[in-house]
mmCIF file of all heavy atoms in Angstrom:
data_model
loop_
_atom_site.group_PDB
_atom_site.id
_atom_site.type_symbol
_atom_site.label_atom_id
_atom_site.label_comp_id
_atom_site.label_asym_id
_atom_site.label_seq_id
_atom_site.Cartn_x
_atom_site.Cartn_y
_atom_site.Cartn_z
ATOM 1 N N HIS A 240 34.945 -10.689 -44.612
ATOM 2 C CA HIS A 240 34.816 -11.993 -43.966
ATOM 3 C C HIS A 240 35.551 -13.032 -44.803
ATOM 4 O O HIS A 240 35.970 -12.748 -45.927
ATOM 5 C CB HIS A 240 33.348 -12.388 -43.847
ATOM 6 C CG HIS A 240 32.512 -11.405 -43.097
ATOM 7 N ND1 HIS A 240 31.858 -10.342 -43.717
ATOM 8 C CD2 HIS A 240 32.217 -11.294 -41.780
ATOM 9 C CE1 HIS A 240 31.205 -9.638 -42.813
ATOM 10 N NE2 HIS A 240 31.398 -10.190 -41.630
ATOM 11 N N PHE A 241 35.675 -14.223 -44.294
ATOM 12 C CA PHE A 241 36.359 -15.259 -45.073
ATOM 13 C C PHE A 241 35.525 -15.696 -46.276
ATOM 14 O O PHE A 241 36.031 -16.338 -47.194
ATOM 15 C CB PHE A 241 36.716 -16.465 -44.186
ATOM 16 C CG PHE A 241 35.549 -17.288 -43.729
ATOM 17 C CD1 PHE A 241 34.990 -18.267 -44.530
ATOM 18 C CD2 PHE A 241 35.021 -17.108 -42.454
ATOM 19 C CE1 PHE A 241 33.922 -19.036 -44.101
ATOM 20 C CE2 PHE A 241 33.950 -17.873 -42.008
ATOM 21 C CZ PHE A 241 33.388 -18.838 -42.831
ATOM 22 N N TYR A 242 34.251 -15.329 -46.305
ATOM 23 C CA TYR A 242 33.365 -15.727 -47.403
ATOM 24 C C TYR A 242 32.958 -14.562 -48.303
ATOM 25 O O TYR A 242 32.353 -14.767 -49.346
ATOM 26 C CB TYR A 242 32.114 -16.416 -46.849
ATOM 27 C CG TYR A 242 31.392 -15.607 -45.790
ATOM 28 C CD1 TYR A 242 30.468 -14.637 -46.136
ATOM 29 C CD2 TYR A 242 31.654 -15.818 -44.433
ATOM 30 C CE1 TYR A 242 29.821 -13.888 -45.164
ATOM 31 C CE2 TYR A 242 31.015 -15.086 -43.465
ATOM 32 C CZ TYR A 242 30.110 -14.116 -43.828
ATOM 33 O OH TYR A 242 29.472 -13.365 -42.872
ATOM 34 N N ASN A 243 33.249 -13.310 -47.929
ATOM 35 C CA ASN A 243 32.992 -12.155 -48.802
ATOM 36 C C ASN A 243 33.818 -10.961 -48.320
ATOM 37 O O ASN A 243 34.527 -11.051 -47.316
ATOM 38 C CB ASN A 243 31.500 -11.807 -48.889
ATOM 39 C CG ASN A 243 30.932 -11.296 -47.573
ATOM 40 O OD1 ASN A 243 31.634 -10.738 -46.730
ATOM 41 N ND2 ASN A 243 29.626 -11.468 -47.383
ATOM 42 N N ASN A 244 33.720 -9.849 -49.043
ATOM 43 C CA ASN A 244 34.518 -8.664 -48.718
ATOM 44 C C ASN A 244 33.738 -7.596 -47.969
ATOM 45 O O ASN A 244 34.224 -6.478 -47.787
ATOM 46 C CB ASN A 244 35.088 -8.055 -50.009
ATOM 47 C CG ASN A 244 36.081 -8.972 -50.693
ATOM 48 O OD1 ASN A 244 36.872 -9.632 -50.027
ATOM 49 N ND2 ASN A 244 36.021 -9.033 -52.022
ATOM 50 N N GLU A 245 32.521 -7.898 -47.543
ATOM 51 C CA GLU A 245 31.680 -6.913 -46.871
ATOM 52 C C GLU A 245 31.935 -6.927 -45.362
ATOM 53 O O GLU A 245 32.147 -7.983 -44.771
ATOM 54 C CB GLU A 245 30.207 -7.207 -47.143
ATOM 55 C CG GLU A 245 29.842 -7.185 -48.622
ATOM 56 C CD GLU A 245 28.417 -7.642 -48.865
ATOM 57 O OE1 GLU A 245 27.707 -7.917 -47.868
ATOM 58 O OE2 GLU A 245 28.028 -7.744 -50.039
ATOM 59 N N SER A 246 31.893 -5.732 -44.763
ATOM 60 C CA SER A 246 32.111 -5.650 -43.321
ATOM 61 C C SER A 246 31.648 -4.303 -42.801
ATOM 62 O O SER A 246 31.938 -3.268 -43.395
ATOM 63 C CB SER A 246 33.600 -5.844 -43.001
ATOM 64 O OG SER A 246 33.809 -5.893 -41.619
ATOM 65 N N ASP A 247 30.919 -4.300 -41.694
ATOM 66 C CA ASP A 247 30.452 -3.042 -41.093
ATOM 67 C C ASP A 247 30.501 -3.140 -39.566
ATOM 68 O O ASP A 247 29.587 -2.734 -38.868
ATOM 69 C CB ASP A 247 29.038 -2.687 -41.571
ATOM 70 C CG ASP A 247 28.020 -3.774 -41.251
ATOM 71 O OD1 ASP A 247 28.434 -4.850 -40.776
ATOM 72 O OD2 ASP A 247 26.816 -3.546 -41.463
ATOM 73 N N LEU A 248 31.592 -3.689 -39.052
ATOM 74 C CA LEU A 248 31.736 -3.876 -37.610
ATOM 75 C C LEU A 248 31.899 -2.541 -36.893
ATOM 76 O O LEU A 248 32.500 -1.597 -37.427
ATOM 77 C CB LEU A 248 32.962 -4.745 -37.316
ATOM 78 C CG LEU A 248 32.950 -6.158 -37.902
ATOM 79 C CD1 LEU A 248 34.284 -6.842 -37.645
ATOM 80 C CD2 LEU A 248 31.810 -6.975 -37.302
ATOM 81 N N LEU A 249 31.389 -2.463 -35.675
ATOM 82 C CA LEU A 249 31.596 -1.305 -34.805
ATOM 83 C C LEU A 249 32.909 -1.520 -34.052
ATOM 84 O O LEU A 249 32.932 -1.956 -32.903
ATOM 85 C CB LEU A 249 30.423 -1.157 -33.836
ATOM 86 C CG LEU A 249 29.032 -1.016 -34.479
ATOM 87 C CD1 LEU A 249 27.951 -1.074 -33.419
ATOM 88 C CD2 LEU A 249 28.937 0.274 -35.264
ATOM 89 N N ILE A 250 34.011 -1.209 -34.729
ATOM 90 C CA ILE A 250 35.320 -1.623 -34.244
ATOM 91 C C ILE A 250 35.633 -1.077 -32.854
ATOM 92 O O ILE A 250 36.117 -1.812 -31.981
ATOM 93 C CB ILE A 250 36.425 -1.205 -35.234
ATOM 94 C CG1 ILE A 250 36.229 -1.925 -36.579
ATOM 95 C CG2 ILE A 250 37.810 -1.528 -34.668
ATOM 96 C CD1 ILE A 250 36.284 -3.426 -36.489
ATOM 97 N N ASP A 251 35.378 0.197 -32.608
ATOM 98 C CA ASP A 251 35.703 0.779 -31.301
ATOM 99 C C ASP A 251 34.968 0.050 -30.186
ATOM 100 O O ASP A 251 35.534 -0.211 -29.116
ATOM 101 C CB ASP A 251 35.353 2.271 -31.274
ATOM 102 C CG ASP A 251 36.280 3.097 -32.137
ATOM 103 O OD1 ASP A 251 37.346 2.583 -32.513
ATOM 104 O OD2 ASP A 251 35.940 4.256 -32.449
ATOM 105 N N PHE A 252 33.717 -0.276 -30.441
ATOM 106 C CA PHE A 252 32.910 -0.962 -29.434
ATOM 107 C C PHE A 252 33.388 -2.399 -29.230
ATOM 108 O O PHE A 252 33.443 -2.904 -28.111
ATOM 109 C CB PHE A 252 31.442 -0.937 -29.855
ATOM 110 C CG PHE A 252 30.488 -1.190 -28.731
ATOM 111 C CD1 PHE A 252 30.575 -0.499 -27.540
ATOM 112 C CD2 PHE A 252 29.490 -2.142 -28.864
ATOM 113 C CE1 PHE A 252 29.689 -0.732 -26.495
ATOM 114 C CE2 PHE A 252 28.596 -2.387 -27.830
ATOM 115 C CZ PHE A 252 28.700 -1.676 -26.641
ATOM 116 N N ILE A 253 33.773 -3.049 -30.337
ATOM 117 C CA ILE A 253 34.253 -4.427 -30.255
ATOM 118 C C ILE A 253 35.598 -4.488 -29.539
ATOM 119 O O ILE A 253 35.845 -5.398 -28.737
ATOM 120 C CB ILE A 253 34.336 -5.042 -31.666
ATOM 121 C CG1 ILE A 253 32.911 -5.263 -32.205
ATOM 122 C CG2 ILE A 253 35.108 -6.348 -31.657
ATOM 123 C CD1 ILE A 253 32.854 -5.725 -33.636
#
Side-chain angles (χ1 to χ4, degrees):
H240 303 90
F241 70 83
Y242 53 85
N243 67 26
N244 294 321
E245 301 173 3
S246 185
D247 58 353
L248 299 174
L249 303 172
I250 297 300
D251 290 345
F252 199 50
I253 290 174

